[in-house]
Amino acid sequence: GQQLNQSPQSMFIQEGEDVSMNCTSSSIFNTWLWYKQEPGEGPVLLIALYKAGELTSNGRLTAQFGITRKDSFLNISASIPSDVGIYFCAGQTSGTYKYIFGTGTRLKVLA
Amino acid sequence: DTGVSQDPRHKITKRGQNVTFRCDPISEHNRLYWYRQTLGQGPEFLTYFQNEAQLEKSRLLSDRFSAERPKGSFSTLEIQRTEQGDSAMYLCASSFRAQDTEAFFGQGTRLTVV
């Protein structure tokens, strides 16, 4: 099935560092969602974005809806060990209510 | 309300058997989604319902797969004549019909076909 491109695929960072990841598509999206998933669990919603250029924060997490509507970015500031997991973006285009997911960014934090 | 609930959490079945999974969405949510996730991949869309109507199905949903939401509340996903390639995590999500929609996922059902 169709999936969005996420980069990087994986990251190993030191505790306290900031993290940036992005998600790109060839299609225009009306909604972007960011999720975190831990092993054996379902994805947990972190941030939702609804307008081009929108910047939204949730604690140490900040996400942006790209101006072109074909990309989105997620930043995590001052990472901590519990940030470990796989981060997925998901986009929704007009004319459908299904979400297309990205390939995921696997984050590992070294204490 | 404790969120989206899926049952069972784990299912091991022999190839050729039929399996059925259940999803109970968040109570006021009228959209319900099914996704499949294999190891190392993001969730892949299978189908979604608005109330009891199945509005979209992916080509991934072969003839062996059927989903229902008879009363617009809980949903079931049945896989007939399971194959080893059906082994995956099956995820259910729900959302509320509104201009801004956020989809919330359950914990998933891990299917292993042996």
Side-chain angles (χ1 to χ4, degrees):
Chain A
Q2 179 187 1
Q3 292 206 314
L4 304 172
N5 294 317
Q6 278 189 251
S7 65
Q9 282 189 322
S10 62
M11 304 178 73
F12 289 78
I13 62 168
Q14 293 287 335
E15 183 177 0
E17 289 184 352
D18 296 343
V19 173
S20 292
M21 61 189 77
N22 67 5
C23 186
T24 60
S25 167
S26 57
S27 302
I28 289 175
F29 286 99
N30 295 329
T31 302
W32 286 98
L33 304 180
W34 283 92
Y35 290 87
K36 178 188 177 186
Q37 188 176 28
E38 298 185 29
E41 301 293 328
V44 174
L45 183 63
L46 301 173
I47 292 180
L49 301 160
Y50 300 106
K51 297 179 183 178
E54 180 181 355
L55 190 69
T56 298
S57 293
N58 177 7
R60 295 178 296 105
L61 277 62
T62 301
Q64 185 164 22
F65 194 135
I67 291 293
T68 65
R69 297 172 62 193
K70 291 184 178 182
D71 55 11
S72 181
F73 308 86
L74 176 69
N75 295 316
I76 305 173
S77 63
S79 59
I80 59 178
S82 63
D83 290 334
V84 166
I86 304 177
Y87 291 80
F88 289 103
C89 62
Q92 187 181 63
T93 62
S94 62
T96 178
Y97 290 103
K98 71 181 181 185
Y99 286 93
I100 305 297
F101 275 76
T103 49
T105 293
R106 185 181 299 272
L107 178 63
K108 295 195 176 181
V109 179
L110 306 174
Chain B
D1 193 340
T2 57
V4 178
S5 177
Q6 291 189 244
D7 182 71
R9 290 291 311 276
H10 304 276
K11 178 72 176 179
I12 299 175
T13 190
K14 291 184 178 179
R15 190 171 48 187
Q17 298 293 308
N18 300 343
V19 294
T20 300
F21 309 141
R22 177 180 170 122
C23 173
D24 287 89
I26 294 171
S27 59
E28 66 270 25
H29 286 185
N30 52 7
R31 288 203 185 104
L32 186 148
Y33 303 79
W34 285 100
Y35 282 81
R36 182 176 72 183
Q37 186 177 28
T38 54
L39 202 61
Q41 300 295 315
E44 294 177 295
F45 171 77
L46 292 178
T47 188
Y48 88 88
F49 293 83
Q50 182 159 299
N51 300 313
E52 66 275 9
Q54 189 173 18
L55 297 186
E56 191 169 347
K57 294 196 294 185
S58 162
R59 282 173 289 181
L60 292 174
L61 212 66
S62 75
D63 291 344
R64 297 184 297 105
F65 288 69
S66 63
E68 294 182 343
R69 195 182 182 198
K71 297 183 179 179
S73 56
F74 74 91
S75 175
T76 57
L77 177 68
E78 181 183 17
I79 308 174
Q80 296 182 326
R81 305 181 302 282
T82 52
E83 302 172 356
Q84 286 191 320
D86 296 332
S87 296
M89 174 79 91
Y90 290 85
L91 294 163
C92 176
S94 71
S95 70
F96 181 66
R97 180 182 178 182
Q99 184 172 358
D100 296 340
T101 58
E102 301 171 353
F104 297 89
F105 280 83
Q107 292 180 303
T109 295
R110 168 72 65 187
L111 173 66
T112 302
V113 182
V114 297

